[in-house]
Amino acid sequence: MQQNDSPVIGSRLVFHFGGYDPVSPTKTYLRFIRQLERFRQTWSVKSSASAPLVATDRAKWGILSEGPNWRVETDHQLFRWDDIMAGYAVRSVWWRLPMGLLAFADFVVGGALWGYARTNWRYALFFLYPYLLLLMMVLTSFYAGELAAGTTGSIAFGILAGVLAFIAFYLGPGRWTYLPIALDDWIFSRAYIRGRDPELERRLDVVADEIIAADSARAVDEILLLGHSLGAVLAVEALDRALRRRPDLGSSGPRLALVTVGSSILKIGLHRSAVRLRDALARVSRSPSLVWVEYQALTDIMNFYKTDPVRDCGLQSTGRPIVRLVRIRHMLEAASYRRIRRNPYRVHCQFVSGNECRAVYDYFMFVCGPLSAEKQTRLHEGAASAIGDNGRLLHVAARLLTQANE
């Protein structure tokens, strides 16, 4: 059986790898449902999702999306690692602080900070942010303690006042500025590079087996792995495991696509010790049957804008991924964008949220839409140039896509 070369998709299997955000799968599903409403309104389509089935390593639900002349059934599989992240979140501040400082030292000594400054200075600032914030808290607490000691004449009281001031800063402004989760993110990233979590390894192996099984079954038109933020690293890891077992994966049957958005691949890959990830990147980028596209945005400080994650890791460039630069402001109404533009986390999450405007990149079009990932990638305006005002798949666009594929 030859690979399905039609640009129109009728069924799709999606493996979604989320970033470092310890949110339960139930909350993730509810967020998905809210954003699905935006998809329906923006594209004038029908779309509904089934109730989620939650397991230890996965949460899944079905999605049925329809336009006047197309229908897509999506099997949406959410890769779970929220419980692994939760294990870091419950640790005390007295564990988090030394481990966070150790992570800082490791990423500096390992050359990652220099790599961030070289490839994208904004990301270097993102890396420094929690540590600069922590330094400000320490200095302010020190001066508060010094003031208390000078006022009372008691060094012991000054030390107590300084410690209490630091705790107050950590529990107040620290929480509001995402300091604990930012430190946990870097602590996890160091642990990921330096060692392997047996449970995470097991889950990646399971997903790899399922990708192979879906490719062999040929029951869907497209297999799509979508990795957001640090989830892009996990998506590459899972696909690499599948390719090592089946080098011809994607050569026949379903289309095979990897979409990385708001990616943190270079966050890990630029560390001198991230040999395993760089090996995986080399294999994935050389796979002839894989379509890999990476979407990057300037206003998202948590991704690496205008970079090639393969080339910038010091690997031979293969033309994969296809890098497309997009603008978050084009995805939202002006008022909505003004509300979120000063919230880096919310801007970062727009890559996996519903758009209010038709744009080059649309998360739900990749998950639920009638065009393959490759065709959406290669169209200059993405799906926006192929879907009519009433949600209809334009025949002219379909013909152009077919001709471009010949």
Side-chain angles (χ1 to χ4, degrees), residues 289-363:
S289 302
L290 172 70
V291 174
W292 178 10
V293 57
E294 171 149 313
Y295 286 87
Q296 303 168 354
L298 175 63
T299 51
D300 178 12
I301 65 170
M302 299 184 199
N303 80 161
F304 288 81
Y305 184 66
K306 285 190 175 180
T307 61
D308 180 332
V310 173
R311 183 197 63 216
D312 290 323
C313 276
L315 303 170
Q316 182 178 0
S317 181
T318 63
R320 299 183 185 86
I322 300 167
V323 176
R324 296 213 61 180
L325 306 179
V326 296
R327 303 189 69 178
I328 301 294
R329 68 165 59 244
H330 290 170
M331 303 177 193
L332 298 168
E333 299 289 350
S336 298
Y337 180 71
R338 284 195 297 270
R339 283 195 299 271
I340 74 164
R341 65 180 179 177
R342 300 188 190 282
N343 184 336
Y345 174 76
R346 179 58 187 84
V347 170
H348 186 55
C349 286
Q350 186 55 42
F351 274 119
V352 288
S353 301
N355 288 356
E356 293 176 334
C357 305
R358 298 188 177 195
V360 173
Y361 170 81
D362 189 293
Y363 167 75

Side-chain angles (χ1 to χ4, degrees), residues 19-20 23 25 31 35 107 127 136 150 156 222 270 294 331 339 343-344 347 357 374 379 384:
Y20 198 93
V23 175
R31 180 191 297 170
Q35 298 300 318
F107 276 84
F127 168 70
M136 290 175 58
E222 182 175 67
L270 290 172
E294 171 149 313
M331 303 177 193
R339 283 195 299 271
N343 184 336
V347 170
C357 305
E374 179 178 9
L379 282 172

Side-chain angles (χ1 to χ4, degrees), residues 15 17 57-58 79-80 84 192 196-214 225 234-246 249 276:
F15 294 98
F17 298 81
D57 58 358
R58 200 75 47 82
F79 179 84
R80 283 197 64 185
I84 295 173
Y192 182 83
R196 299 189 176 190
D197 183 307
E199 180 58 22
L200 185 60
E201 295 290 311
R202 184 193 67 80
R203 295 183 191 184
L204 290 170
D205 282 332
V206 170
V207 172
D209 288 338
E210 292 184 1
I211 294 170
I212 294 171
L225 283 76
L234 302 182
V236 169
E237 283 265 18
L239 186 54
D240 175 57
R241 290 164 192 244
L243 287 169
R244 275 187 279 163
R245 298 169 199 176
R246 277 276 306 278
L249 193 70
R276 179 178 56 154

Side-chain angles (χ1 to χ4, degrees), residues 98-374:
M99 293 302 293
L101 293 173
L102 181 60
F104 173 80
D106 197 348
F107 276 84
V108 172
V109 174
L113 177 57
W114 165 244
Y116 303 157
R118 175 172 50 82
T119 57
N120 191 291
W121 63 268
R122 291 169 179 263
Y123 200 88
L125 294 180
F126 169 68
F127 168 70
L128 292 172
Y129 162 75
Y131 299 105
L132 293 175
L133 183 61
L134 189 60
L135 178 61
M136 290 175 58
M137 290 182 182
V138 169
L139 291 176
T140 305
S141 300
F142 173 80
Y143 287 120
E146 189 177 59
L147 178 63
T151 303
T152 63
S154 170
I155 295 178
F157 188 81
I159 293 174
L160 177 62
V163 171
L164 291 176
F166 178 80
I167 293 174
F169 284 130
Y170 182 84
L171 295 178
R175 295 284 179 180
W176 306 331
T177 52
Y178 303 102
L179 178 60
I181 192 172
L183 291 174
D184 287 348
D185 185 2
W186 289 105
I187 294 168
F188 168 83
S189 297
R190 175 181 181 271
Y192 182 83
I193 292 171
R194 293 295 179 184
R196 299 189 176 190
D197 183 307
E199 180 58 22
L200 185 60
E201 295 290 311
R202 184 193 67 80
R203 295 183 191 184
L204 290 170
D205 282 332
V206 170
V207 172
D209 288 338
E210 292 184 1
I211 294 170
I212 294 171
D215 182 74
S216 300
R218 301 174 180 176
V220 295
D221 296 326
E222 182 175 67
I223 300 171
L224 171 68
L225 283 76
L226 192 144
H228 175 237
S229 194
L230 197 53
V233 174
L234 302 182
V236 169
E237 283 265 18
L239 186 54
D240 175 57
R241 290 164 192 244
L243 287 169
R244 275 187 279 163
R245 298 169 199 176
R246 277 276 306 278
D248 64 338
L249 193 70
S251 60
S252 62
R255 290 174 171 272
L256 179 63
L258 171 64
V259 177
T260 49
V261 296
S263 167
S264 293
I265 289 174
L266 289 176
K267 169 183 181 172
I268 304 296
L270 290 172
H271 194 293
R272 194 173 296 114
S273 298
V275 177
R276 179 178 56 154
L277 177 60
R278 288 193 291 273
D279 287 345
L281 285 170
R283 277 187 291 269
V284 168
S285 68
R286 290 196 302 264
S287 175
S289 302
L290 172 70
V291 174
W292 178 10
V293 57
E294 171 149 313
Y295 286 87
Q296 303 168 354
L298 175 63
T299 51
D300 178 12
I301 65 170
M302 299 184 199
N303 80 161
F304 288 81
Y305 184 66
K306 285 190 175 180
T307 61
D308 180 332
V310 173
R311 183 197 63 216
D312 290 323
C313 276
L315 303 170
Q316 182 178 0
S317 181
T318 63
R320 299 183 185 86
I322 300 167
V323 176
R324 296 213 61 180
L325 306 179
V326 296
R327 303 189 69 178
I328 301 294
R329 68 165 59 244
H330 290 170
M331 303 177 193
L332 298 168
E333 299 289 350
S336 298
Y337 180 71
R338 284 195 297 270
R339 283 195 299 271
I340 74 164
R341 65 180 179 177
R342 300 188 190 282
N343 184 336
Y345 174 76
R346 179 58 187 84
V347 170
H348 186 55
C349 286
Q350 186 55 42
F351 274 119
V352 288
S353 301
N355 288 356
E356 293 176 334
C357 305
R358 298 188 177 195
V360 173
Y361 170 81
D362 189 293
Y363 167 75
F364 282 92
M365 262 297 161
F366 274 102
V367 172
C368 308
L371 294 175
S372 69
E374 179 178 9

